[in-house]
Amino acid sequence: MNIRTIILGFLVSTALISISPLSLSQTQTDKLSNSSAAAALNQANTSPAKGQPVSDDDINRFTNTIVLIKDFYVQSIGDKTLLDDAIRGMVSGLDPHSEYLDGEAYKTLLMTTSGEFGGVGIEVTPEYGILKIVSPMDDTPAAKAGIKAGDYIVAVDGKLVSEMSLQDAVEKMRGKQGSQVMLTILRKGDKTPLMFKLTREVIHIASVKTKMLGNNFGYIRISQFQEPTAKLMRNAILDLKNKNQGHLSGIILDLRNNPGGLLETAVQVVDNFLDSKKLNNKFNDLIVYTEGRLPEAQYSAKANGYDILNGAPMVILINGGSASASEIVAGALQDYHRALIVGTTSFGKGSVQTVIPLDKTHALKLTTALYHTPSGRVIQNIGIIPDVQIDDLQVVKNKADEDIAMIEPIKEYQLKNHLAGSSSSTANASTSEYNDLGLAHDDFQLFEALQILRTMYQLNLMGAKS
């Protein structure tokens, strides 16, 4: 071993020691106290590592690689770049969700959880050496262009994603507001790649949207779990109730293509629909809990609120783009039979990522635990399986509206030369039929969810009368 290799080995060892984390912060998907960080780190340092220990030959191989790159690579590479890339490669080899956050990536993470950031509006995860779209975010360039959850990005501006790191690919999709980026996408069922030319925007995520669906049924759409989401949702429900004489017959909570967000916010959302005094200690009143290698990675949250809907029926819509915090909400309310889950099986991202600061501008996002629903179900790689499977079908419009028969049986007032009854009743029937048909054309899953919610409401009424 030459003297240069020895010196480089010493420098690398010193650098690796110097980046040991000193504290844990509140993070995107978990919350561990700062005071527990030192204990976690000490235990990690003293716990026996799995696999073979690092030998002198392994250290020589690492330091010799640095020497060869510096001596023979076609371009001059600085020591800091090599060290950053070494850390990035080490972390990216762990799992798809662990990540080394440099200054720009760390800043973007903080902006994303607060609800505003730049880009085209997609949540991605690495798979098969390319990027799988977890979900396009509502009202963003990606969603407006027709990009779908489950699509695969194979190239950005003509450069193959397989030749870039996750961070490089994401950075390449970001840019100045008004600038354009070309995405080459593979979609299941299509034989040729799809090309999408998107204009970048500053993404403002309105995490909660609401509307009435008729007959006092409310619709709540949560697109991402950010810091203010639970409060916004609660206020939105109260506003809908106020507009309907203080009463809602039921609600549909739409979590489709919601990639997740803050764990604490997901817990708060669930707590708005559970009456802790009526749970009778079922599942120990748990909303979610985690299990990890270290005691500090153990986390649990319990219900302590009351049901803002006073027991009115709920339907939750999910699909393959519903991930992480969305799955926590759906899983908890499914376990307590508080809501009926409708749609398609969710993404299956049930791991906890903790952001650990390295210094003021760099951090590690590490997978530290796995989520469990209150009954103990594991979400990771399984997802939440809906109670009622409804695929995302499309009812095609045609001039004769022959597809009405697919949705509901033909009514008397629709027959040619039918006898007139009350003019008001005919008008009301026509309006209701038109609204339902329009909803089926626009969003078949939502249309079906509304029919299920109406049935649940009627069954509740029958149960109350019996």
Side-chain angles (χ1 to χ4, degrees):
M1 183 186 300
N2 62 37
I3 188 66
R4 185 174 181 182
T5 302
I6 295 173
I7 293 171
L8 277 169
F10 173 75
L11 290 173
V12 169
S13 300
T14 304
L16 292 176
I17 292 170
S18 69
I19 63 171
S20 296
L22 298 178
S23 64
L24 298 176
S25 67
Q26 182 172 333
T27 71
Q28 189 173 13
T29 49
D30 197 9
K31 183 180 180 182
L32 301 176
S33 66
N34 289 339
S35 60
S36 67
L41 192 58
N42 287 337
Q43 182 162 348
N45 289 336
T46 56
S47 297
K50 290 184 178 180
Q52 298 178 348
V54 177
S55 67
D56 289 343
D57 288 341
D58 293 323
I59 296 174
N60 290 343
R61 180 160 44 88
F62 181 71
T63 53
N64 284 336
T65 300
I66 295 176
V67 171
L68 292 172
I69 291 172
K70 291 181 70 67
D71 282 351
F72 297 107
Y73 187 62
V74 65
Q75 295 176 344
S76 176
I77 303 294
D79 292 336
K80 185 180 185 304
T81 299
L82 287 174
L83 184 61
D84 279 350
D85 287 345
I87 299 172
R88 189 173 289 112
M90 179 168 53
V91 176
S92 65
L94 300 174
D95 65 79
H97 306 293
S98 292
E99 186 181 356
Y100 171 59
L101 303 173
D102 61 17
E104 195 62 33
Y106 195 15
K107 190 189 303 180
T108 299
L109 174 66
L110 297 176
M111 285 192 297
T112 301
T113 57
S114 65
E116 180 179 317
F117 60 98
V120 295
I122 50 176
E123 181 87 8
V124 296
T125 186
E127 189 173 297
Y128 307 128
I130 53 179
L131 293 180
K132 181 179 182 179
I133 295 177
V134 177
S135 67
M137 299 172 188
D138 290 353
D139 301 322
T140 62
K144 293 173 185 175
I147 290 176
K148 298 180 179 180
D151 287 348
Y152 288 91
I153 302 174
V154 294
V156 181
D157 283 336
K159 184 175 181 180
L160 293 176
V161 170
S162 58
E163 297 178 359
M164 295 183 270
S165 67
L166 170 62
Q167 183 172 340
D168 289 342
V170 171
E171 286 295 330
K172 198 169 179 61
M173 286 186 282
R174 296 189 187 122
K176 258 187 178 182
Q177 180 182 3
S179 61
Q180 293 185 322
V181 60
M182 180 69 76
L183 301 185
T184 305
I185 282 179
L186 294 180
R187 178 173 294 168
K188 186 178 179 181
D190 288 344
K191 295 181 179 179
T192 57
L194 305 174
M195 307 293 289
F196 291 89
K197 192 172 186 179
L198 305 177
T199 301
R200 297 181 180 95
E201 296 177 2
V202 175
I203 308 299
H204 303 273
I205 300 177
S207 63
V208 177
K209 296 180 180 179
T210 64
K211 63 181 177 181
M212 293 302 299
L213 295 175
N215 297 326
N216 293 328
F217 292 107
Y219 170 84
I220 311 291
R221 163 74 180 154
I222 298 180
S223 58
Q224 198 170 34
F225 291 91
Q226 303 164 352
E227 291 175 7
T229 299
K231 184 177 180 180
L232 290 173
M233 182 201 72
R234 184 178 182 82
N235 290 340
I237 292 175
L238 292 174
D239 185 55
L240 288 179
K241 291 175 74 172
N242 289 336
K243 290 178 179 177
N244 289 274
Q245 292 75 49
H247 171 72
L248 287 176
S249 299
I251 70 163
I252 294 173
L253 181 62
D254 189 352
L255 300 180
R256 291 174 297 176
N257 295 327
N258 181 326
L262 295 170
L263 171 62
E264 292 83 357
T265 301
V267 169
Q268 293 164 9
V269 166
V270 173
D271 212 20
N272 275 289
F273 301 115
L274 294 178
D275 190 335
S276 58
K277 295 181 180 178
K278 296 181 180 179
L279 295 181
N280 299 320
N281 207 32
K282 185 179 182 181
F283 306 132
N284 294 318
D285 296 348
L286 286 169
I287 290 176
V288 65
Y289 69 94
T290 67
E291 290 184 349
R293 187 162 61 91
L294 300 177
E296 288 74 17
Q298 316 301 322
Y299 169 88
S300 64
K302 293 189 175 185
N304 57 20
Y306 67 92
D307 184 1
I308 191 173
L309 297 175
N310 299 315
M314 284 183 68
V315 169
I316 296 180
L317 270 172
I318 62 171
N319 65 3
S322 307
S324 193
S326 296
E327 295 172 294
I328 290 170
V329 172
L333 294 176
Q334 185 180 48
D335 279 358
Y336 283 109
H337 303 292
R338 178 62 189 89
L340 198 71
I341 312 301
V342 172
T344 57
T345 302
S346 63
F347 185 76
K349 195 262 180 190
S351 57
V352 182
Q353 280 68 51
T354 302
V355 175
I356 308 172
L358 298 173
D359 53 38
K360 291 182 179 180
T361 57
H362 298 77
L364 291 180
K365 185 170 75 170
L366 288 180
T367 299
T368 54
L370 295 178
Y371 292 124
H372 295 259
T373 70
S375 66
R377 289 184 294 160
V378 176
I379 296 172
Q380 180 66 18
N381 290 336
I382 299 172
I384 301 298
I385 300 171
D387 301 304
V388 181
Q389 177 88 16
I390 297 177
D391 292 325
D392 187 15
L393 303 177
Q394 186 174 8
V395 178
V396 180
K397 293 184 179 181
N398 60 61
K399 293 181 180 179
D401 271 339
E402 295 171 355
D403 50 357
I404 289 179
M406 291 175 51
I407 301 167
E408 288 190 8
I410 295 293
K411 304 293 187 358
E412 169 71 18
Y413 73 87
Q414 295 170 316
L415 297 177
K416 186 178 181 180
N417 296 327
H418 66 272
L419 293 174
S422 166
S423 59
S424 61
S425 62
T426 303
N428 289 339
S430 300
T431 302
S432 174
E433 193 73 31
Y434 173 78
N435 289 340
D436 279 2
L437 182 57
L439 183 60
H441 284 313
D442 295 336
D443 190 336
F444 183 75
Q445 286 180 315
L446 179 56
F447 164 78
E448 288 291 320
L450 180 57
Q451 309 315 306
I452 292 170
L453 186 62
R454 285 172 174 163
T455 303
M456 293 169 66
Y457 174 69
Q458 291 299 326
L459 290 174
N460 278 0
L461 285 181
M462 293 171 62
K465 291 177 181 178
S466 62

